[in-house]
Amino acid sequence: QVQLVQSGGGVVQPGRSLRLSCAASGFTFNTHAMHWVRQAPGKGLEWVGFIWYDGSNKVYGASVKGRFTISRDNSKNTVDLQMNSLRAEDTAVYYCARDPPHSGFRLDHWGQGTLVTVSS
Amino acid sequence: QSVLTQPPSASGTPGQRVTISCSGSSSNIGSQIVNWYQHLPGTTPKLLIHTDNQRPSGVPDRFSGSKSGTSASLAISGLQSEDEAVYYCSAWDDRLNALLFGGGTKLTVL
């Protein structure tokens, strides 16, 4: 069955960096785009960005552009989110999610979520 | 303020039918596919409706989606207590070049 298992997260000081990882199994990883979505405490879902199935294109949300980088390793079936210059407002539960080919950005499977807390 | 506008809350009694709206524009709902997600407390968001009105396998037919122009709707019939959740609409915006989520609608079953 499809599984997305996330790791990383934790407490980090403002201005520092953190890396999240998402390990995929149970499907053909290199045919799926992958997204990161976050939810700040008491807020709704916010799209962070996504990476094409082959890693050739990446698109980011305005609030993280220039600070966050999404990468993937199709040989290891993993997708990472490198978060730099972290701010208090980046505090959130972060989810990775699968986007099947030609699906109209349908996020049909999600990771379990990982909490990132940015605080001094 | 989300680009996709949803009512912050909705409610109904068991067995009732409720509808949740999602209003957008020509650059998102008006030209792109709409998907809906259900987010139960303490769980991972779940795809509820895709491609405007299609239910993934396993989603009861009590849930239905529709779209007209720059607005979309999620309808839940035969409301059940386990439907208490936050519901989000989502669509790509080709002007912003971003995936949008509505602000979410918290559904309460009275």
Side-chain angles (χ1 to χ4, degrees), chain A residues 35 37 39 43-47 50 59-61 95 102-108 110-113, chain B residues 32-35 37 39 43-47 50-51 88 90 92 97-104:
Chain A
H35 294 246
V37 177
Q39 184 177 33
K43 304 292 186 182
L45 299 177
E46 179 189 10
W47 179 71
F50 87 111
V59 184
Y60 299 95
Y95 298 96
H102 313 296
S103 75
F105 300 97
R106 173 199 325 170
L107 306 185
D108 66 348
W110 297 60
Q112 83 274 21
Chain B
Q32 303 290 325
I33 286 169
V34 176
N35 300 305
Y37 299 90
H39 197 185
T43 68
T44 290
K46 171 188 172 183
L47 178 67
H50 69 85
T51 321
Y88 296 91
S90 178
W92 182 260
N97 201 36
L99 183 62
L100 303 179
F101 286 95

Side-chain angles (χ1 to χ4, degrees), chain B residues 12-86:
Chain B
T13 56
Q16 268 191 331
R17 183 179 189 270
V18 298
T19 302
I20 296 171
S21 62
C22 176
S23 177
S25 68
S26 59
S27 61
N28 43 70
I29 293 176
S31 58
Q32 303 290 325
I33 286 169
V34 176
N35 300 305
W36 289 88
Y37 299 90
Q38 178 191 57
H39 197 185
L40 295 160
T43 68
T44 290
K46 171 188 172 183
L47 178 67
L48 193 66
I49 296 289
H50 69 85
T51 321
D52 299 341
N53 55 20
Q54 302 298 302
R55 282 186 309 277
S57 166
V59 173
D61 60 6
R62 303 187 295 106
F63 296 90
S64 62
S66 63
K67 188 174 83 172
S68 178
T70 59
S71 292
S73 292
L74 172 71
I76 309 171
S77 60
L79 202 59
Q80 299 180 4
S81 58
E82 55 261 39
D83 297 334
E84 275 208 347
V86 180

Side-chain angles (χ1 to χ4, degrees), chain A residues 4 9 12 16-18 37 48 92 96 113 117:
Chain A
L4 298 172
V12 61
R16 303 297 291 264
S17 299
L18 199 63
V37 177
V48 172
C96 61
T117 303

Side-chain angles (χ1 to χ4, degrees), chain A residues 25-87:
Chain A
S25 61
F27 66 99
T28 307
F29 182 70
N30 62 13
T31 62
H32 288 68
M34 295 296 295
H35 294 246
W36 287 92
V37 177
R38 68 184 182 182
Q39 184 177 33
K43 304 292 186 182
L45 299 177
E46 179 189 10
W47 179 71
V48 172
F50 87 111
I51 185 168
W52 281 22
Y53 67 99
D54 60 357
S56 63
N57 193 24
K58 307 164 193 182
V59 184
Y60 299 95
S63 60
V64 307
K65 196 170 184 178
R67 300 187 299 123
F68 289 14
T69 302
I70 300 173
S71 60
R72 66 189 295 158
D73 186 336
N74 282 350
S75 68
K76 297 180 180 178
N77 288 0
T78 58
V79 58
D80 290 348
L81 178 66
Q82 176 67 41
M83 303 181 291
N84 297 334
S85 303
L86 282 161
R87 306 166 180 166

